[in-house]
Amino acid sequence: MPDASARIWVILGGLLLMAVVVVALRWTFGTDRQVPTARLADPDDPDAFGLLEEVSRVPGAIAAEVLQGRLAAAGIRATLSRDGPAYRILVFPDDLKAARVVLSRGALG
């Protein structure tokens, strides 16, 4: 039968191990207050495209594919969406400014 001091060390060791696990889990899965919260799209909005934003709208499929190709050549991912007879070119918000620059340069040259 272990003596009282051995039991105390076992209990203290177990508590220390639990504290280390709690700190590790908090560090791994804890929330960071500096991370901006994502803007959530309204699921009931028929014009919402989730995280994507419209950078251009063109009247035909060929024009939409040409613009999508220009964006792809510049390394910008783009998605096409049909809206009646028109097509929307959609990009992620981080790529919106660069996509506008690429598409405006294409119109000039």
Side-chain angles (χ1 to χ4, degrees), residues 1 15 26 29-30 34 46-47 59 70 80-81 87 93 103:
M1 188 166 182
L15 291 174
R26 175 73 178 160
F29 298 108
Q34 297 175 355
D47 294 328
R70 285 185 190 166
L80 301 180
S81 172
Y87 285 81
L103 295 180

Side-chain angles (χ1 to χ4, degrees), residues 7-79:
R7 282 188 223 161
I8 291 174
W9 284 112
V10 167
I11 291 172
L12 288 176
L15 291 174
L16 179 64
L17 180 63
M18 286 176 52
V20 168
V21 168
V22 166
V23 168
L25 289 173
R26 175 73 178 160
W27 177 71
T28 303
F29 298 108
T31 58
D32 187 5
R33 304 279 185 233
Q34 297 175 355
V35 175
T37 57
R39 190 173 47 123
L40 297 177
D42 182 8
D44 296 327
D45 184 5
D47 294 328
F49 291 99
L51 295 176
L52 299 175
E53 294 188 18
E54 182 178 326
V55 69
S56 182
R57 186 181 300 211
V58 292
I62 296 173
E65 290 174 3
V66 168
L67 294 181
Q68 185 181 26
R70 285 185 190 166
L71 292 172
I76 300 171
R77 294 179 294 171
T79 301

Side-chain angles (χ1 to χ4, degrees), residues 2 4-5 14 24 47 52 69 77 83 85 89 93 101-103:
S5 65
D47 294 328
L52 299 175
R77 294 179 294 171
D83 184 21
I89 295 102
V101 169
V102 167
L103 295 180

